[in-house]
Amino acid sequence: MSRPVPVALIGVGGVGKAILQQLLAPPLASKFNLILIANSRKALSLPLPTNAPVTPANFLPILEEHGAPLDVPSVISLLASHPDGPGIFIDSTGAEAVPALYPTVLGHGVHVVTPNKKGTSGDLELYKAIEEASYPNSRALIYGESTVGAGLPILSSLKDLVGTGDEIEKIEGVFSGTLSYIFNEYSKVEGGDVAFSEVVKIAKDKGYTEPDPRDDLSGADVARKLTILSRLVPTAPELPKGYASVPTQSLVPPVLENASTKEEYLERLAEGDSYFANLREEARKEGKVVRYVGVIDIANNKVECKLGKYDFDHAFATALKGSDNIISFHTKRYSPRPLIIQGAGAGADVTAMGCTSDLLKIYERIRL
Amino acid sequence: MSRPVPVALIGVGGVGKAILQQLLAPPLASKFNLILIANSRKALSLPLPTNAPVTPANFLPILEEHGAPLDVPSVISLLASHPDGPGIFIDSTGAEAVPALYPTVLGHGVHVVTPNKKGTSGDLELYKAIEEASYPNSRALIYGESTVGAGLPILSSLKDLVGTGDEIEKIEGVFSGTLSYIFNEYSKVEGGDVAFSEVVKIAKDKGYTEPDPRDDLSGADVARKLTILSRLVPTAPELPKGYASVPTQSLVPPVLENASTKEEYLERLAEGDSYFANLREEARKEGKVVRYVGVIDIANNKVECKLGKYDFDHAFATALKGSDNIISFHTKRYSPRPLIIQGAGAGADVTAMGCTSDLLKIYERIRL
């Protein structure tokens, strides 16, 4: 049996906790050695001096009481100099500051696993620095499967297509679980006249949206995912500012753009209803439903996030349910019918699974 | 740049030729060094003494004229002792004899990539010997992504789910491109009264079936795929005889079971029409379509291939088109909605892609 790989987990929100859960249970527990957990302020080295076991249930108060202030450079040293290292740095924060350090982490030979979209969906400069510091330019690996579609095999499939010489023609999908739910409820093949504001409120009550639903409705999250995918396609347009370079249709209707607080926005949400009702009605007359999609269209050199209309018998109309993501890859080989991957694209357990499957891939590469 | 990995390709039918095409073109060409190609009789060492380039277009007459008799043990030695080795043995034959040698190949440290289902879907004894000779029990790797769903990421996704501790509850899918086409045409949501024999004949004329359509209609191919998947699920029933242990409904109707030749079978095909028409009508009355599916049902400890009836709004009824495969994974994490992967499950280019993406995975592990 090979020596377990040392791992540090930064960020213990919902996803971080689920990563912890999977990491400490079979079959992963024997392959990895968790040497540090941290939130945004404090870090706890493991094992504890008392050798008491750390569990997903008990770690938080221990971290608060016994943690030292988080110092990322010393976490990097710990992973780089560990006798079983270099180890793996898991960034489960949502911060901008941590991804800015990926080139440094990788430069120390430490591997990175991240569900944090900020590193690979921002400025091209950071992206290039990450590329230069990682495999095949060094032995340090970086995996971010769960930055798009959570645990769904989206990035790995795209890498396989590109890596084996297929030509990507179009990638089209519903990339946001929140917007999937909202439009699956709002615009159905069988019709219905529920108000848009009602659906958004239900989504918020069910916990499907960010605290401020405008963070979902702005489309920025979808633009980040498209950026990450585009950068894996050699023929896609360059996006110098990352997600900020992606034309993105906002779903905060013009009449509500001047709402200054989320409370005001939520209160006035119904003012936008006629805007969306018109869209739905227009689509319906064409035998279509409305979906919020991300599209990478290579032939037309376009990357964009927008409302699209899809025929009643299109997979985005019939197959899509709940808050599922669905992503279709149209390629030279997968033509005329695309390769389609569908399933939960959000949620702590499946997002964590994207990370732990990345951990496994690194394990299998460094412990062969 | 790392040294290219030596590769031998045995089997140059449709899939083998497509592998050759992908292997000799960018981006793979720089990573691999094709040192031998062979059909079932002859082997050709590369590069040619004249240094003339071998291409997918010109290799066949050269192989016929200059090839030496194929001797698998010497191919193994070549790959094992190559200065850049151990290399990779690609079995693109449909033979039983070659997979029987996988334990030997792996025992020499040589890696295996195979679209040939015979090795992992037969007797448990051979399967166990393959397991014992390969990673993590040795450094030799074996990948067979395209044995199920061609280039679709079916095996890799299942390995990720199991490897990260998810619990598989049910795997259900349309695993045969041929049977997908036949039932998508025969039993439609919108109805239709085409005869079963007509659809089979059209499928045969389009080249979608084996030369003897009974090879598809027997369900054995689906049973092999289920066997391969089951063996990756620790909680699935043991299948000591592999596919022969899977209860498999044959679509050669009772009235035609005594047809002795494929000609007689094809001629008498219409005698089975009323059998299938009854099935279709029965399903229709329940608001369902008929599909030929493979099911691994862990709760009920069952693996089986059978005709199933699916609601008009089920993905197998609405989303499935052409000769696509569709496979759904119901797991503890992907619940209540499954993870679904869909797309072409047959065809030389996509099957070859399953193999070349396996080659890449091996490359990334041994050339880190």
Side-chain angles (χ1 to χ4, degrees):
Chain A
M1 190 74 198
S2 300
R3 297 284 304 160
V5 175
V7 167
L9 172 65
I10 319 295
V12 286
V15 172
K17 265 181 229 162
I19 292 173
L20 195 62
Q21 192 114 36
Q22 293 177 24
L23 208 49
L24 297 177
L28 293 172
S30 61
K31 294 190 166 72
F32 299 98
N33 174 17
L34 186 66
I35 62 169
L36 182 139
I37 47 175
N39 60 20
S40 57
R41 294 166 293 104
K42 288 186 165 182
L44 186 69
S45 288
L46 300 171
L48 297 174
T50 61
N51 254 323
V54 162
T55 70
N58 76 3
F59 80 97
L60 254 188
I62 306 178
L63 175 62
E64 284 301 337
E65 192 178 341
H66 300 285
L70 171 64
D71 173 56
V72 176
S74 72
V75 177
I76 300 173
S77 307
L78 209 62
L79 289 165
S81 63
H82 193 284
D84 299 325
I88 305 173
F89 180 94
I90 308 176
D91 170 20
S92 181
T93 72
E96 296 262 7
V98 183
L101 296 169
Y102 292 172
T104 311
V105 178
L106 295 161
H108 283 79
V110 171
H111 313 290
V112 174
V113 165
T114 180
N116 183 344
K117 287 183 276 288
K118 304 260 166 79
T120 43
S121 65
D123 281 359
L124 188 58
E125 206 180 330
L126 175 58
Y127 188 78
K128 289 204 160 158
I130 292 170
E131 275 196 319
E132 271 158 35
S134 59
Y135 180 89
N137 300 308
S138 83
R139 296 194 78 230
L141 304 169
I142 176 165
Y143 281 88
E145 183 61 70
S146 55
T147 55
V148 180
L152 300 175
I154 305 298
L155 298 197
S156 56
S157 297
L158 180 55
K159 284 179 193 168
D160 282 347
L161 291 165
V162 171
T164 60
D166 201 357
E167 288 163 32
I168 307 299
E169 292 168 356
K170 189 162 79 164
I171 303 173
E172 186 173 24
V174 172
F175 290 94
S176 155
T178 312
L179 296 179
S180 178
Y181 174 82
I182 288 175
F183 283 95
N184 295 344
E185 291 296 313
Y186 183 66
S187 179
K188 296 184 175 200
V189 171
E190 62 266 32
D193 58 4
V194 61
F196 190 76
S197 58
E198 269 314 297
V199 177
V200 173
K201 277 177 193 156
I202 294 168
K204 183 168 163 34
D205 290 346
K206 289 195 171 190
Y208 289 173
T209 69
E210 298 293 327
D212 185 341
R214 287 178 296 184
D215 290 343
D216 297 299
L217 295 172
S218 73
D221 175 71
V222 178
R224 284 193 182 275
K225 290 169 180 166
L226 284 192
T227 302
I228 293 167
L229 291 175
S230 293
R231 286 174 171 170
L232 296 174
V233 181
T235 49
E238 199 173 74
L239 302 167
K241 295 274 158 213
Y243 79 101
S245 297
V246 176
T248 301
Q249 181 174 0
S250 170
L251 295 182
V252 181
V255 68
L256 284 180
E257 265 166 13
N258 63 350
S260 55
T261 64
K262 90 175 164 197
E263 286 72 23
E264 187 195 342
Y265 166 72
L266 281 169
E267 211 164 277
R268 292 177 52 196
L269 201 54
E271 293 176 31
D273 280 345
S274 63
Y275 171 83
F276 289 104
N278 285 340
L279 281 177
R280 177 171 61 185
E281 186 50 30
E282 196 182 276
R284 178 135 211 98
K285 282 183 187 149
E286 301 171 28
K288 292 177 176 173
V289 295
V290 179
R291 296 290 180 262
Y292 192 84
V293 295
V295 182
I296 299 173
D297 181 343
I298 300 298
N300 295 302
N301 203 40
K302 263 191 197 163
V303 181
E304 53 182 340
C305 306
K306 59 178 184 184
L307 285 168
K309 292 182 276 187
Y310 292 88
D311 286 338
F312 284 163
D313 68 348
H314 191 281
F316 292 3
T318 60
L320 200 58
K321 295 200 170 91
S323 57
D324 276 6
N325 282 186
I326 185 167
I327 288 106
S328 59
F329 297 93
H330 298 261
T331 75
K332 193 173 170 200
R333 289 182 201 139
Y334 285 96
S335 173
R337 306 254 323 135
L339 188 169
I340 298 175
I341 298 172
Q342 179 181 347
D349 287 342
V350 292
T351 305
M353 181 210 145
C355 299
T356 52
S357 68
D358 285 347
L359 288 174
L360 267 185
K361 286 179 183 88
I362 293 177
Y363 180 91
E364 293 193 335
R365 291 179 70 177
I366 64 180
R367 286 290 189 267
L368 178 59
Chain B
M1 191 73 197
S2 300
R3 298 283 304 159
V5 175
V7 167
L9 172 65
I10 318 294
V12 286
V15 172
K17 265 181 228 162
I19 292 174
L20 196 62
Q21 192 115 37
Q22 293 176 25
L23 207 49
L24 297 177
L28 294 172
S30 61
K31 295 190 166 73
F32 299 98
N33 175 17
L34 186 66
I35 62 168
L36 182 139
I37 47 175
N39 60 20
S40 57
R41 294 166 293 104
K42 288 185 166 182
L44 185 70
S45 288
L46 299 171
L48 297 174
T50 61
N51 255 322
V54 161
T55 70
N58 77 4
F59 80 97
L60 253 188
I62 306 177
L63 175 62
E64 284 301 338
E65 192 178 341
H66 300 285
L70 171 65
D71 174 56
V72 175
S74 72
V75 177
I76 301 173
S77 306
L78 209 62
L79 289 165
S81 63
H82 193 284
D84 298 325
I88 305 173
F89 180 95
I90 309 176
D91 170 19
S92 181
T93 72
E96 296 262 8
V98 183
L101 296 169
Y102 293 171
T104 310
V105 178
L106 295 160
H108 282 78
V110 171
H111 314 289
V112 174
V113 165
T114 180
N116 183 343
K117 288 183 275 289
K118 304 259 166 79
T120 44
S121 65
D123 281 359
L124 188 59
E125 206 180 330
L126 174 58
Y127 188 78
K128 289 205 159 158
I130 292 170
E131 275 196 320
E132 271 158 36
S134 59
Y135 180 89
N137 300 308
S138 83
R139 297 194 78 230
L141 304 169
I142 176 165
Y143 281 88
E145 183 61 70
S146 55
T147 55
V148 180
L152 300 175
I154 305 298
L155 297 197
S156 55
S157 297
L158 180 55
K159 284 179 193 168
D160 282 347
L161 292 165
V162 171
T164 60
D166 201 358
E167 288 163 32
I168 307 299
E169 292 168 356
K170 189 163 79 163
I171 303 173
E172 186 173 24
V174 172
F175 289 93
S176 154
T178 313
L179 296 179
S180 179
Y181 174 82
I182 288 175
F183 283 95
N184 295 345
E185 291 295 314
Y186 184 66
S187 179
K188 297 183 175 201
V189 171
E190 62 265 33
D193 58 4
V194 62
F196 190 76
S197 58
E198 269 314 298
V199 177
V200 173
K201 277 177 191 156
I202 294 168
K204 182 166 163 39
D205 290 346
K206 289 196 170 189
Y208 289 172
T209 69
E210 298 293 326
D212 185 340
R214 286 179 296 184
D215 289 344
D216 297 300
L217 295 172
S218 73
D221 175 71
V222 178
R224 284 193 181 274
K225 291 169 180 165
L226 284 192
T227 302
I228 293 168
L229 292 175
S230 293
R231 286 175 171 170
L232 296 173
V233 181
T235 49
E238 198 172 74
L239 302 168
K241 295 274 159 213
Y243 78 101
S245 297
V246 177
T248 301
Q249 181 174 359
S250 169
L251 294 183
V252 181
V255 67
L256 284 180
E257 265 166 12
N258 63 350
S260 54
T261 63
K262 88 174 165 198
E263 286 72 22
E264 186 195 342
Y265 166 72
L266 281 168
E267 211 164 278
R268 291 178 51 197
L269 201 53
E271 293 176 31
D273 281 345
S274 64
Y275 171 82
F276 288 104
N278 285 340
L279 282 177
R280 176 171 62 185
E281 187 50 30
E282 197 182 277
R284 178 137 211 97
K285 282 184 186 148
E286 300 172 29
K288 292 177 176 174
V289 296
V290 179
R291 296 290 180 264
Y292 192 83
V293 296
V295 182
I296 299 172
D297 181 343
I298 299 299
N300 295 301
N301 203 39
K302 263 192 197 163
V303 181
E304 52 182 341
C305 306
K306 59 179 184 183
L307 285 168
K309 292 182 276 186
Y310 292 88
D311 286 338
F312 284 163
D313 68 348
H314 191 280
F316 293 3
T318 60
L320 200 59
K321 296 200 169 90
S323 57
D324 275 6
N325 281 186
I326 185 167
I327 288 104
S328 59
F329 297 93
H330 298 260
T331 75
K332 193 174 169 199
R333 289 182 201 140
Y334 285 97
S335 172
R337 307 253 324 134
L339 188 169
I340 298 175
I341 297 172
Q342 180 182 347
D349 287 342
V350 292
T351 305
M353 181 210 144
C355 299
T356 52
S357 68
D358 284 347
L359 288 175
L360 267 184
K361 287 181 182 89
I362 294 178
Y363 180 90
E364 293 193 335
R365 291 179 70 176
I366 64 179
R367 286 290 188 268
L368 178 59

